[in-house]
Amino acid sequence: DAGVIQSPRHEVTEMGQEVTLRCKPISGHNSLFWYRQTMMRGLELLIYFNNNVPIDDSGMPEDRFSAKMPNASFSTLKIQPSEPRDSAVYFCASSFRANVLTFGAGSRLTVL
Amino acid sequence: QQPVQSPQAVILREGEDAVINCSSSKALYSVHWYRQKHGEAPVFLMILLKGGEQKGHEKISASFNEKKQQSSLYLTASQLSYSGTYFCGTETAGNKLTFGGGTRVLVKP
């Protein structure tokens, strides 16, 4: 198994631009999580899905952030418009029945 | 709410022991421990379920006191490969896994 696949690995963009991060979970996993990691705030849970349905999005910072999971093998996290304070590493993780998490390699976002 | 980890950082000599603590203000279903090397993703170490169990991974073990809503990770006879940041993740109602702020561990020769 290729593990959890995230793209892009690095993204540099300018303030105001739209950013889309993508995630392919491990086949057979039915839970998917989006985390954001910064030095100041550590690993923050943004949103998680069970069986493609968003269960808890209370960690999404504001309306500029949105996440979708149209099917069991794909999820996106979108930021529109992006701001410099959104700069962080964004991790996607998947699990079976919300148990042990397998993380992707992360997407490092820099907003100038 | 985020679980609280202590200490924030620890420096060890190879072969020394250390304890990392994790506490939560909420009732817990389980506690997870992950280790993250610099520039990499967090990697699962172990999960502890209700029942006060202990588990081990190499010479790393952990305990879970559900009444106190606390868990401790024990690094025994530390090796250079143990260096990294350790995160506890606490599972509350709804399968929500929330991570603590992390404990940076540096093992020196």
Side-chain angles (χ1 to χ4, degrees), chain B residues 29-93:
Chain B
Y29 289 86
S30 68
V31 176
H32 299 219
W33 286 96
Y34 290 75
R35 179 172 63 201
Q36 184 179 28
K37 302 277 188 176
H38 183 68
E40 299 179 6
V43 173
F44 171 78
L45 290 177
M46 65 190 78
I47 181 172
L48 299 105
L49 306 175
K50 279 186 176 181
E53 65 174 312
Q54 286 194 292
K55 279 201 169 182
H57 172 85
E58 300 170 341
K59 288 185 178 179
I60 300 173
S61 61
S63 62
F64 176 28
N65 186 325
E66 62 191 87
K67 288 184 179 178
K68 292 186 177 180
Q69 294 155 197
Q70 294 176 344
S71 178
S72 295
L73 187 73
Y74 306 94
L75 306 181
T76 305
S78 58
Q79 304 170 16
L80 297 176
S81 62
Y82 288 2
S83 292
T85 301
Y86 290 78
F87 292 95
C88 72
T90 52
E91 182 190 358
T92 53

Side-chain angles (χ1 to χ4, degrees), chain A residues 32-70:
Chain A
L32 184 139
F33 302 75
W34 282 100
Y35 287 90
R36 177 173 68 176
Q37 186 173 37
T38 60
M39 288 294 293
M40 293 297 295
R41 301 172 74 91
L43 264 171
E44 298 176 275
L45 176 63
L46 300 177
I47 185 172
Y48 75 99
F49 297 83
N50 277 350
N51 298 314
N52 313 337
V53 176
I55 302 300
D56 188 329
D57 65 354
S58 59
M60 297 286 261
E62 46 200 273
D63 292 345
R64 298 184 297 107
F65 285 70
S66 62
K68 293 182 180 180
M69 191 165 186

Side-chain angles (χ1 to χ4, degrees), chain A residues 7-27:
Chain A
S7 65
R9 290 294 312 278
H10 301 275
E11 174 93 8
V12 180
T13 190
E14 292 189 345
M15 184 173 63
Q17 296 298 305
E18 178 179 293
V19 173
T20 299
L21 307 178
R22 298 173 179 79
C23 176
K24 177 178 168 54
I26 291 174
S27 177

